[in-house]
């Protein structure tokens, strides 16, 4: 099949970025969320990010206007039923994702491909609970979606070759590079990245260094563009914890035990940038370490 229309479920940080890159590449996009304010915020964010691309001469004003015209929002998930590809980009909780697929399935065309932007959950298990495991695939975009070039492509045990090849073509049409990953917990990027962040939190927890020194050490000592605690705040501490729990549960190895301090921050609601506080406090003019 040729994919021309794309449904995106979830208008948060990842969902609005996915809608942005698809619309800019010529696809018709229907973006849905359970909250009308999330859809309004998503359109504002997409417009601002497109404006930034225009100001940097990455795209023209005409391309920006055309992209915005291709995006339609709705609160009714059934309206995604006639799209050729649906990408779920909701919160990193399996029960939430499963509920979304249950709501979608009665409305989908037989040939529609289902994809999930999960960063860690088993594609095989999610696919097995749908009516089309052969047309189900993991398409894991990196954050921020309009900027990052990599997309992890993960086949479940039942994903057929046609679906896989179709998505390779789609990702390349977006101007991004697909990296094939096997369906094991957290795939490639987060299997390596999130345990590094967790170890940085342990380094803080054990008093080896404070927030500023840990981040400075990795930026200047390992040439990382962001320190691991700064990066954790950017990703969201709840997401980091969820991925560590998937690794710990899925691989049954104590080296993936989430740091108790990470758990404590999440319990406090200090989830990083999106909450105003995490390992840094973002409520003032400049971020201030919280430890």
């Amino acid at each position: 099949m040729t994919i021309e229309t794309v449904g995106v479920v979830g208008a948060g940080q990842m969902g609005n970025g996915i809608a942005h890159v698809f619309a800019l590449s010529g696809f018709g996009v229907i973006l849905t969320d359970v909250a009308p304010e999330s859809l309004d915020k998503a359109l504002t964010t997409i417009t601002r990010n497109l404006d930034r691309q225009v100001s940097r001469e990455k795209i023209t004003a005409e391309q920006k206007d055309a992209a915005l015209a291709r995006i339609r929002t709705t609160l009714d998930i059934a309206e995604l039923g006639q799209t050729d590809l649906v990408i779920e980009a909701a919160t990193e909780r399996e029960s939430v994702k499963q509920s979304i697929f249950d709501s979608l399935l009665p409305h989908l065309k037989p040939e529609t491909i289902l994809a999930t932007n999960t960063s860690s959950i088993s594609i095989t298990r999610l696919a097995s609970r749908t009516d089309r495991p052969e047309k189900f695939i993991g398409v894991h975009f990196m954050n921020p979606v309009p900027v990052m070039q990599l997309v992890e492509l993960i086949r479940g045990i039942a994903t057929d070759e046609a679906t896989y090849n179709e998505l390779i073509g789609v990702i390349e049409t977006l101007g991004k590079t697909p990296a094939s990953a096997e369906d094991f917990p957290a795939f490639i990027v987060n299997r390596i990245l999130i345990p590094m962040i967790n170890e940085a939190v342990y380094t803080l927890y054990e008093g080896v260094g404070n927030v500023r020194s840990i981040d400075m050490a990795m930026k200047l000592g390992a040439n990382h563009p962001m320190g691991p605690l700064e990066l954790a705040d950017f990703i969201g501490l709840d997401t980091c914890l969820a991925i560590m729990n998937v690794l710990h549960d899925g691989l049954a190895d104590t080296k993936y035990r989430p740091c108790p301090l990470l758990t404590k921050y999440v319990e406090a609601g200090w989830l990083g940038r999106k909450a105003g506080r995490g390992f840094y406090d973002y409520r003032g003019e400049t971020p201030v370490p919280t430890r």
Side-chain angles (χ1 to χ4, degrees), residues 53-68:
Q53 287 178 301
V54 172
S55 69
R56 293 176 179 172
E57 299 184 346
K58 302 283 187 184
I59 63 172
T60 65
E62 290 75 17
Q63 286 174 307
K64 169 205 154 183
D65 292 340
L68 287 172

Side-chain angles (χ1 to χ4, degrees), residues 6 37 70 127 132 166 189 211 237 244 265 273:
V6 179
E37 59 271 20
R70 294 187 191 105
R132 61 194 70 208
E166 186 78 38
V189 173
V211 169
L237 303 193
M244 283 308 301
Y265 267 69
R273 282 182 177 272

Side-chain angles (χ1 to χ4, degrees), residues 59-289:
I59 63 172
T60 65
E62 290 75 17
Q63 286 174 307
K64 169 205 154 183
D65 292 340
L68 287 172
R70 294 187 191 105
I71 300 172
R72 180 163 67 86
T73 62
T74 181
L75 293 169
D76 184 4
I77 200 169
E79 291 188 33
L80 275 62
Q82 295 306 304
T83 58
D84 304 318
L85 167 68
V86 176
I87 302 175
E88 170 275 315
T91 188
E92 192 68 357
R93 288 208 307 273
E94 189 165 348
S95 59
V96 172
K97 294 179 185 297
Q98 189 56 58
S99 175
I100 288 167
F101 293 130
D102 288 346
S103 299
L104 267 171
L105 290 175
H107 308 288
L108 296 181
K109 298 184 295 184
E111 64 271 23
T112 296
I113 293 173
L114 266 182
T116 176
N117 185 57
T118 181
S119 53
S120 61
I121 298 167
S122 168
I123 304 303
T124 298
R125 192 166 62 242
L126 287 172
S128 71
R129 297 167 186 166
T130 73
D131 63 355
R132 61 194 70 208
E134 71 287 347
K135 292 185 176 297
F136 193 104
I137 193 164
V139 185
H140 178 215
F141 289 83
M142 304 296 123
N143 185 32
V145 179
V147 175
M148 301 296 280
Q149 291 302 301
L150 185 78
V151 180
E152 284 184 312
L153 199 56
I154 310 103
R155 279 178 285 191
I157 198 169
T159 307
D160 64 25
E161 199 69 18
T163 299
Y164 173 70
N165 289 333
E166 186 78 38
L167 264 296
I168 285 179
V170 167
I171 291 166
E172 290 175 344
T173 299
L174 299 178
K176 299 189 182 295
T177 302
S180 294
E182 293 300 316
D183 187 21
F184 289 100
F187 319 130
I188 296 172
V189 173
N190 284 328
R191 172 76 176 264
I192 297 167
L193 178 65
I194 302 300
M196 183 199 77
I197 288 173
N198 193 55
E199 194 62 30
V201 183
Y202 266 115
T203 305
L204 178 65
Y205 178 62
E206 293 168 6
V208 180
N210 59 29
V211 169
R212 199 178 296 281
S213 64
I214 290 167
D215 277 350
M216 187 72 69
M218 293 307 291
K219 283 195 280 191
L220 300 185
N223 206 28
H224 289 192
M226 297 173 74
L229 301 175
E230 182 185 5
L231 180 58
D233 277 357
F234 180 74
I235 293 169
L237 303 193
D238 51 341
T239 300
C240 292
L241 180 60
I243 295 169
M244 283 308 301
N245 281 324
V246 166
L247 282 165
H248 192 230
D249 296 343
L251 298 172
D253 191 325
T254 55
K255 74 178 181 179
Y256 296 116
R257 183 172 70 99
C259 179
L261 184 60
L262 177 60
T263 302
K264 194 61 64 181
Y265 267 69
V266 173
E267 287 175 345
W270 292 18
L271 307 180
R273 282 182 177 272
K274 63 186 176 184
R277 275 189 293 190
F279 292 112
Y280 292 85
D281 190 326
Y282 299 93
R283 294 173 298 173
E285 287 188 17
T286 58
V288 178

